[in-house]
């Protein structure tokens, strides 16, 4: 009897518990429309007095769910009066919610989108823009002596436009259950599937009087099948925060002109729509449109306060005609809040990108990235000690900012949409086919294939090349890899040439010794052929094992390779968020010609005789400063987001004789500046200046040849610091200064030509100049078959290029047309005066 009673009580308890769970929930769905019955796209729908909400789709439709009970729904959209809807019960579906336009005040001039460009005097929006520009410095955090606020960021990445056929193949037995969860992410007959989610909560502190800022991460968690994907992690970081008042901002590796730019009137068409009343404030609503559809601009609208001329909200999105590769749609929304009667500060930022490979078609499968940032708890003019801002907490391990589940539940307030996204990511995370998509993306972006849990094979992009000494060169390699944040990394490769029939190899290793300050130690040993005339200045901290002498297609002959046996040790110290690096390096190398029959590096020794192989020992100290560079990752190898930053480098090298038969005492001083600059909405100018001088008598491999490139391709490096119409060793110097400049118009010019603009090509201009000298003592000690020739008269290369060549959404090809100045060519066949060079670099 007691057993039956217990079973009855347990059954009753489970029944009541299930009943309570059933009633303790709220589900709403429907459509938001205006008074004419037209959909209100992207309206905000949330449960009153909570952060639990969603945004309508393009057709004004929404779906919202919570495990808690709510009785009131709040619906709002810019330009409309906010409505509160009393809910009838817990299940409200097929709702029709009508929003009414905000109360109109005394009429201002209302204009339609002009069919022709209006002058500044004709356009009533222009005086408002002038007031925005004049007051923009008063509407930022710089008005406070100090500040602090809370920042909550979420990043979601996934696949979209998935049909039922794809889902059935991918999910198989789990299809029906997962499909039911995905139903709320359905648009038309297609589904979106989240694969990765990252959340981060931080406290931001600032002192404007001393220009100091400190960010302390409070909590962080990631979920999903691609959370270790270096390429995808960098992909999400293309959505960088920016100040809406800036003249331009960097997004998706491109410079966009802001609709609030002081020179925006030249590229945007502005329309003053109306004025509305909201929170007892009069707001102007202004719409903006690109004058040229293919320019890197936005379409959208913003509202501005009529007294302070502060922006209170802005929505902007690209149009399909915009010259952006891999982008189907890109939208940005920013909402601001009144902190006091005169100051408006950010409340919420929302970024969403929809990406495809081949076309912008709405039916093509793609990938999406959503990034949301919520700002709250502002506290102004309560300064802290200066030492507080200088002492920041840096991340040094993956779980450093982990928080219990109860923390995240309190933060989300039971947000059912976030919970469902998390559950869905966990469900598909172990699916073999879905994980295969992630693995394929990682292989493409890194060039390495996983072999087990700790080793990867690669790099695939260097497996087969050729040169005149080796003919066909086959290369295979491995690297240790557990995650992007490994404290230890080692690389190993071997190579074999079919003509010389010799085996070459190299190995490197590096270890993150300390996290703060960041101290990396490493070393390498390499026995291989090197092309010493292809680059002037190297970053020793990279421990680079790549071989610049190898390529698939080249012009002319090149036997000017050096067989190097090199041992190198490096210690690198990273300061100021890894934007200042102090690098100490020591190198010992033995050098000889890779093909003595064609190339001699002979040297007249002071004690008599000619040496054709010799040893060198040197040590160097380098300072590299990269202000505002976006650095992330806390392993031995850090990564860099796509943003505009300058680079300054100064390096001193001292050679020593007498160390394991090293023969040369010399000094080398080198410097480099890379300064990228957006120019008035017409693109971005990259300028690089390199200069250096060698002190002492040294042989050919220790001099500074003007860097050449005998391939038909533009440089694979981030910026082309070579001369395309020179052969290796055409110029040899011991003091030099080289300048490289490229201006990328991002379509600004070609978008204005009636027929050409349909191609979506982008133009660029380039110019490179070399100047150098060579002292007589270094000429006199040479016993090489290379004639020393210094560019004491300026050597020029100049031309133009067309980039963004391709089909549909895939346009990776660049073609350069280059001319050169004349010079006295003393080594072999005369170089061409004109050349066409090609490059393949997929980019937005």
């Amino acid at each position: 009897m007691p057993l039956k009673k217990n079973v009855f009580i347990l059954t009753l308890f489970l029944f009541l518990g299930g009943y309570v769970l059933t009633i303790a929930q709220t589900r709403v769905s429907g459509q938001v429309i205006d008074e004419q019955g037209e959909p209100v796209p992207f309206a905000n729908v949330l449960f009153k007095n909570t952060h639990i909400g969603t945004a309508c789709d393009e057709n004004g439709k929404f779906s919202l769910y919570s495990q808690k009970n709510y009785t009131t729904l709040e619906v709002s959209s810019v330009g409309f009066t906010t409505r509160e809807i009393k809910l009838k019960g817990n299940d409200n579906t097929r709702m029709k919610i009508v929003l009414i336009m905000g109360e109109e005040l005394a009429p201002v001039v209302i204009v339609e989108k002009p069919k022709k460009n209006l002058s500044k005097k004709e356009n009533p929006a222009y005086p408002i823009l002038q007031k925005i520009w004049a007051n923009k410095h008063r509407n930022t955090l710089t008005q406070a002596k100090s500040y602090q606020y809370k920042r909550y960021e979420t990043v979601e990445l996934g696949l979209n436009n998935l049909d039922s056929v794809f889902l059935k193949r991918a999910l198989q037995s789990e299809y029906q259950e997962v499909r039911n969860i995905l139903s709320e992410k359905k648009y038309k007959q297609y589904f979106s599937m989240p694969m990765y989610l990252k959340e981060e909560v931080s406290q931001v502190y600032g002192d404007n009087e001393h220009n100091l800022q400190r960010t302390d991460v409070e909590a962080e968690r990631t979920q999903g099948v691609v959370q270790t994907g270096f390429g995808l992690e960098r992909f999400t970081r293309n959505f960088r925060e920016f100040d809406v008042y800036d003249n331009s901002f960097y997004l998706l590796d491109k410079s966009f002109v802001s609709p609030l730019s002081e020179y925006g009137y030249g590229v945007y068409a502005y329309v003053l729509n109306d004025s509305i009343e909201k929170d007892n404030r009069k707001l102007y609503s202004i719409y903006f449109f690109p004058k040229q559809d293919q320019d890197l601009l936005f379409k959208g609208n913003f509202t501005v306060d009529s007294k302070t001329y502060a922006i209170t909200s802005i929505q902007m999105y690209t149009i399909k005609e915009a010259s952006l590769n891999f982008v189907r749609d890109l939208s940005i929304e920013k909402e601001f809040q009144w902190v006091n009667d005169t100051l408006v500060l950010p409340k919420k930022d929302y970024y969403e990108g929809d990406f495809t490979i081949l076309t912008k078609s709405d039916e093509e499968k793609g990938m999406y990235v959503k990034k949301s940032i919520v700002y709250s708890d502002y506290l102004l003019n309560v300064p802290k000690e200066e030492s507080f801002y200088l002492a920041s907490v840096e991340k040094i391990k993956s779980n450093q900012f982990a928080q219990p589940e109860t923390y995240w539940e309190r933060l989300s307030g039971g947000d059912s949409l976030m919970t469902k996204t998390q559950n869905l990511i966990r469900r598909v995370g172990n699916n073999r086919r879905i994980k295969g998509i992630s693995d394929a993306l990682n292989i493409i972006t890194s060039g390495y294939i996983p072999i087990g849990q700790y080793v990867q094979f690669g790099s695939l992009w260097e497996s087969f090349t050729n040169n005149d000494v080796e003919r066909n060169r086959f290369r295979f390699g491995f690297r240790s890899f557990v995650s992007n944040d490994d404290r230890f990394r080692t690389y190993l490769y071997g190579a074999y040439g079919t003509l010389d029939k010799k085996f070459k190899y190299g190995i490197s290793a590096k270890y993150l010794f300390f996290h703060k300050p960041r101290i990396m130690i490493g070393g390498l040993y390499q026995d291989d052929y090197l092309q010493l005339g292809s680059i002037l200045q190297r970053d020793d901290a990279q421990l680079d094992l790549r071989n610049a002498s190898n390529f698939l297609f080249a012009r002319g002959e090149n036997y000017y390779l050096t067989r190097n046996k090199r041992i190198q040790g490096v210690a690198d110290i990273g300061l100021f968020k890894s934007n200042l690096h102090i690098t100490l390096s020591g190198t010992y190398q033995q050098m000889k010609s890779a093909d003595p029959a064609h190339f001699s590096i002979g040297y007249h020794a002071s004690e008599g005789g000619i040496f054709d192989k010799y040893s060198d020992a040197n040590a160097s100290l380098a300072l590299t400063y990269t202000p505002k560079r976006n650095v992330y990752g806390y392993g031995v190898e850090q990564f860099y987001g796509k943003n505009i930053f300058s680079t300054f480098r100064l390096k001193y090298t001292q050679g020593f004789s007498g160390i394991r038969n090293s023969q040369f005492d010399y000094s080398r001083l080198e410097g480099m500046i890379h300064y990228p600059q957006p120019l008035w909405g017409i693109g971005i100018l990259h300028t690089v200046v390199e200069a250096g001088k060698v002190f002492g008598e040294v042989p050919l491999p220790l001099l500074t040849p003007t860097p050449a490139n005998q391939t038909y391709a533009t440089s694979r490096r981030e910026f082309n610091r070579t001369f395309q119409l020179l052969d290796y060793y055409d110029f040899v110097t011991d003091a030099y200064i080289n300048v490289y400049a490229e201006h990328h118009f991002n379509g600004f010019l070609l978008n204005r030509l009636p027929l050409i603009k349909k191609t979506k090509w982008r133009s660029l201009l380039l110019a490179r100049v070399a100047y150098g000298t060579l002292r007589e003592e270094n000429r006199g000690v040479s016993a090489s078959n290379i004639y020393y020739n210094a560019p004491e008269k300026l050597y020029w290369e100049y031309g133009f290029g067309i980039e963004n060549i391709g089909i549909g959404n895939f346009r990776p090809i660049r073609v350069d047309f280059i001319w050169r100045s004349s010079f006295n060519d003393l080594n072999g066949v005369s170089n061409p005066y004109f050349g066409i060079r090609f490059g393949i670099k997929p980019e937005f």
Side-chain angles (χ1 to χ4, degrees):
M1 188 68 182
L3 179 60
K4 291 183 179 181
K5 183 178 180 181
N6 290 338
V7 171
F8 173 76
I9 293 173
L10 179 60
T11 304
L12 181 62
F13 175 78
L14 292 175
F15 174 78
L16 293 176
Y19 176 72
V20 170
L21 290 174
T22 301
I23 63 173
Q25 60 181 357
T26 309
R27 183 188 300 273
V28 292
S29 64
Q31 186 182 30
V32 179
I33 59 177
D34 61 19
E35 296 172 280
Q36 283 72 43
E38 295 295 323
V40 179
F42 312 119
N44 297 312
V45 182
L46 71 157
F47 295 120
K48 187 179 179 182
N49 298 326
T50 74
H51 294 293
I52 305 171
T54 186
C56 297
D57 64 15
E58 294 88 341
N59 298 310
K61 294 183 178 181
F62 69 93
S63 177
L64 185 59
Y65 171 83
S66 175
Q67 296 176 351
K68 295 183 178 181
N69 239 349
Y70 293 103
T71 60
T72 306
L73 201 65
E74 186 175 277
V75 185
S76 63
S77 183
V78 175
F80 293 88
T81 301
T82 300
R83 283 197 63 187
E84 293 184 3
I85 310 296
K86 293 294 183 181
L87 300 176
K88 299 177 181 180
N90 305 100
D91 198 354
N92 299 263
T93 58
R94 300 182 181 179
M95 300 177 69
K96 288 286 186 180
I97 301 174
V98 180
L99 292 185
I100 300 173
M101 289 292 293
E103 177 184 357
E104 292 190 0
L105 303 176
V108 296
V109 179
I110 300 175
V111 294
E112 297 178 353
K113 181 180 179 180
K115 296 180 180 179
K116 66 175 183 178
N117 296 329
L118 300 179
S119 68
K120 297 176 181 179
K121 293 182 179 180
E122 294 176 304
N123 195 337
Y126 188 74
I128 299 176
L129 291 170
Q130 287 182 304
K131 294 291 183 65
I132 294 173
W133 302 331
N135 291 276
K136 66 180 183 179
H137 298 297
R138 302 177 184 176
N139 295 312
T140 65
L141 276 173
T142 57
Q143 292 302 297
K145 293 182 179 180
S146 67
Y147 59 87
Q148 68 181 73
Y149 58 88
K150 185 176 183 179
R151 183 180 182 278
Y152 173 43
E153 175 182 312
T154 63
V155 176
E156 179 186 334
L157 185 147
L159 305 176
N160 59 9
N161 273 32
L162 308 179
D163 53 33
S164 298
V165 174
F166 175 87
L167 290 176
K168 285 180 180 178
R169 290 177 179 174
L171 301 173
Q172 297 179 352
S173 62
E174 298 183 37
Y175 163 70
Q176 193 59 49
E177 188 173 354
V178 174
R179 185 185 185 281
N180 291 336
I181 303 175
L182 285 175
S183 61
E184 294 190 8
K185 292 181 174 288
K186 184 177 180 181
Y187 176 65
K188 296 181 180 179
Q189 71 270 33
Y190 299 110
F191 299 86
S192 296
M193 178 184 293
M195 298 174 63
Y196 170 72
L197 180 67
K198 178 179 179 180
E199 298 172 86
E200 181 181 282
V201 182
S202 56
Q203 297 287 344
V204 181
Y205 307 88
D207 181 346
N208 286 320
E209 292 186 324
H210 299 91
N211 195 26
L212 298 173
Q213 187 180 80
R214 167 177 171 173
T215 301
D216 289 350
V217 177
E218 178 181 294
E220 183 183 65
R221 67 173 175 178
T222 58
Q223 293 175 265
V225 295
V226 296
Q227 62 194 52
T228 61
F230 160 59
L232 295 174
E233 173 73 4
R234 176 178 285 185
F235 199 80
T236 63
R237 289 177 178 269
N238 273 293
F239 292 96
R240 287 179 53 81
E241 299 170 54
F242 61 88
D243 188 340
V244 70
Y245 294 105
D246 286 343
N247 286 328
S248 62
F249 47 83
Y250 211 58
L251 198 66
L252 298 181
D253 197 19
K254 289 288 177 288
S255 178
F256 288 78
V257 178
S258 170
L260 299 179
S261 167
E262 295 179 25
Y263 47 83
Y265 204 83
V267 292
Y268 282 104
Y270 296 92
V271 179
L272 176 60
N273 184 52
D274 58 13
S275 60
I276 59 177
E277 182 81 14
K278 186 175 182 181
D279 299 330
N280 297 321
R281 292 180 181 273
K282 179 182 176 181
L283 306 176
Y284 296 120
S285 177
I286 295 180
Y287 284 74
F288 50 89
F289 308 86
K291 290 183 177 180
Q292 296 290 332
D293 288 345
Q294 291 179 322
D295 284 351
L296 295 182
L297 304 169
F298 288 96
K299 177 182 178 181
N301 71 287
F302 58 83
T303 56
V304 55
D305 180 59
S306 62
K307 292 184 179 180
T308 64
Y309 290 92
I311 301 299
T312 60
S313 68
I314 186 169
Q315 295 87 33
M316 48 188 176
Y317 52 93
T318 56
I319 58 178
K320 289 191 175 181
E321 291 80 6
S323 183
L324 278 172
N325 300 325
F326 309 114
V327 178
R328 179 161 46 197
D329 292 300
L330 175 64
S331 61
I332 300 172
E333 297 180 23
K334 287 178 175 285
E335 185 179 350
F336 298 82
Q337 57 188 311
W338 293 93
V339 179
N340 52 45
D341 290 338
T342 59
L343 185 60
V344 181
L345 295 177
K347 179 180 180 181
K348 184 177 181 179
D349 292 348
Y350 180 77
Y351 306 82
E352 182 170 355
D354 182 7
F355 304 94
T356 57
I357 296 178
L358 300 177
T359 71
K360 295 181 186 289
S361 169
D362 291 333
E363 298 181 356
E364 183 177 343
K365 295 179 178 64
M367 182 171 65
Y368 70 86
V369 177
K370 298 179 181 179
K371 181 175 180 178
S372 175
I373 306 172
V374 178
Y375 307 87
S376 61
D377 302 340
Y378 282 100
L379 180 62
L380 305 179
N381 299 318
V382 184
K384 300 179 181 294
E385 295 293 331
E386 184 175 348
S387 58
F388 171 84
Y389 299 101
L390 297 174
S392 60
V393 179
E394 295 185 12
K395 185 173 182 178
I396 61 174
K397 55 184 180 180
S398 59
N399 62 346
Q400 181 174 341
F401 302 115
Q403 295 287 356
E405 192 65 29
T406 53
Y407 172 92
W408 297 104
E409 290 176 355
R410 289 195 304 270
L411 181 70
S412 64
D415 187 339
S416 63
L417 292 180
M418 180 66 72
T419 301
K420 286 189 176 183
T421 299
Q422 294 165 352
N423 291 337
L424 187 58
I425 287 175
R426 283 193 289 266
R427 174 57 63 91
V428 303
N430 295 321
N431 181 273
R432 178 175 58 85
R433 293 175 182 267
I434 298 298
K435 194 172 186 304
I437 296 174
S438 170
D439 292 341
L441 290 172
N442 286 337
I443 291 172
I444 292 172
T445 55
S446 69
Y448 285 87
I449 301 174
I451 303 177
Q453 297 181 346
Y454 307 106
V455 177
Q456 294 183 334
F457 174 82
S459 164
L460 299 179
W461 319 130
E462 298 181 74
S463 298
F464 175 74
T465 53
N466 63 72
N467 59 63
D468 288 324
V469 177
E470 296 172 284
R471 191 72 55 82
N472 297 317
R473 174 184 169 101
F474 297 91
R475 185 184 191 274
F476 60 91
F478 303 90
R479 72 172 180 179
S480 64
F481 189 92
V482 177
S483 75
N484 286 329
D485 300 310
D486 294 341
R487 294 187 68 170
F488 173 78
R489 180 85 75 235
T490 182
Y491 292 84
L492 170 69
Y493 81 90
Y496 182 79
T498 58
L499 180 62
D500 69 333
K501 301 186 185 307
K502 293 180 180 180
F503 182 75
K504 283 77 63 175
Y505 64 96
I507 183 172
S508 69
K510 43 190 168 183
Y511 178 71
L512 184 60
F513 203 66
F514 291 112
H515 285 94
K516 189 175 181 181
R518 279 184 58 89
I519 299 180
M520 181 275 289
I521 57 174
L524 66 77
Y525 178 76
Q526 187 176 30
D527 185 355
D528 201 350
Y529 297 154
L530 298 181
Q531 179 64 69
L532 298 181
S534 64
I535 188 170
L536 280 173
Q537 300 185 19
R538 299 178 182 272
D539 183 358
D540 292 334
Q542 297 298 319
L543 291 171
D544 193 359
L545 289 175
R546 289 181 296 177
N547 195 326
S549 67
N550 300 312
F551 32 77
L552 291 176
F553 304 103
R555 60 178 173 83
E557 293 182 345
N558 174 34
Y559 295 93
Y560 300 153
L561 304 181
T562 305
R563 182 71 184 255
N564 270 43
K565 293 182 179 180
R566 176 171 58 126
I567 300 174
Q568 186 174 32
V570 173
D572 182 73
I573 304 171
L575 304 171
F576 301 112
K577 297 182 179 180
S578 291
N579 280 320
L580 174 63
H581 281 263
I582 304 171
T583 306
L584 300 169
S585 176
T587 302
Y588 176 80
Q589 55 187 337
Q590 296 175 340
M591 297 169 284
K592 64 179 181 179
S593 172
D595 189 344
H598 293 87
F599 175 46
S600 168
I601 58 173
Y603 171 77
H604 289 287
S606 57
E607 62 273 21
I610 296 176
F611 291 95
D612 56 9
K613 56 182 178 180
Y614 31 75
S615 301
D616 167 54
N618 65 73
S620 66
L621 169 66
L623 301 177
T624 304
Y625 182 48
T626 53
K628 299 182 180 181
R629 180 169 62 174
N630 179 20
V631 184
Y632 61 98
Y634 46 90
V636 67
E637 292 181 336
Q638 289 190 298
F639 309 113
Y640 311 108
K642 291 289 188 179
N643 67 310
I644 297 177
F645 64 89
S646 299
T647 301
F648 305 88
R649 179 178 295 131
L650 183 64
K651 183 177 180 180
Y652 175 76
T653 302
Q654 179 64 53
F656 303 97
S657 63
I659 299 178
R660 291 187 59 84
N661 299 318
S662 61
Q663 298 156 274
F664 308 103
D665 291 299
Y666 63 93
S667 301
R668 177 183 288 113
L669 183 64
E670 300 169 299
M672 189 270 285
I673 297 174
H674 175 200
Y675 185 73
Q677 180 63 42
L679 294 179
W680 309 296
I682 60 173
I684 182 169
L685 173 65
H686 289 269
T687 305
V688 177
V689 179
E690 289 184 314
K693 184 175 177 61
V694 177
F695 303 88
E697 294 182 8
V698 291
L700 180 63
L702 299 180
L703 291 172
T704 53
T706 301
N709 183 353
Q710 288 187 216
T711 73
Y712 291 104
T714 56
S715 174
R716 292 177 295 173
R717 298 180 183 272
E718 186 172 355
F719 189 84
N720 191 351
R721 303 194 328 253
T722 61
F723 291 84
Q724 305 271 176
L725 299 181
L726 286 182
D727 293 339
Y728 300 115
Y729 296 110
D730 270 344
F731 290 126
V732 178
T733 74
D734 54 25
Y736 66 90
I737 179 168
N738 298 335
V739 180
Y740 316 85
E742 284 187 9
H743 182 77
H744 297 255
F745 287 95
N746 290 335
F748 179 81
L749 292 180
L750 300 186
N751 287 353
R752 283 149 178 80
L753 301 179
L755 296 178
I756 298 291
K757 69 179 183 180
K758 294 182 179 180
T759 65
K760 296 188 177 181
W761 292 346
R762 303 170 186 160
S763 58
L764 63 94
L765 293 177
L766 61 89
R768 305 170 190 134
V769 60
Y771 173 77
T773 59
L774 184 67
R775 300 192 313 275
E776 287 301 322
E777 49 264 42
N778 277 323
R779 294 179 186 271
V781 296
S782 172
S784 170
N785 62 342
I786 294 293
Y787 291 96
Y788 285 5
N789 185 23
E792 296 182 357
K793 294 182 178 179
L794 292 182
Y795 170 78
W796 283 88
E797 288 185 357
Y798 50 91
F800 68 93
I802 305 294
E803 50 190 352
N804 208 46
I805 302 173
I807 300 175
N809 226 19
F810 186 68
R811 298 173 169 272
I813 300 174
R814 165 179 165 174
V815 181
D816 291 353
F817 302 87
I818 307 171
W819 291 262
R820 69 167 175 87
S821 62
S822 60
F823 72 98
N824 187 18
D825 189 352
L826 302 177
N827 290 300
V829 180
S830 297
N831 300 10
Y833 277 88
F834 169 75
I836 300 176
R837 299 295 178 262
F838 301 88
I840 297 179
K841 184 180 179 183
E843 60 179 14
F844 294 109

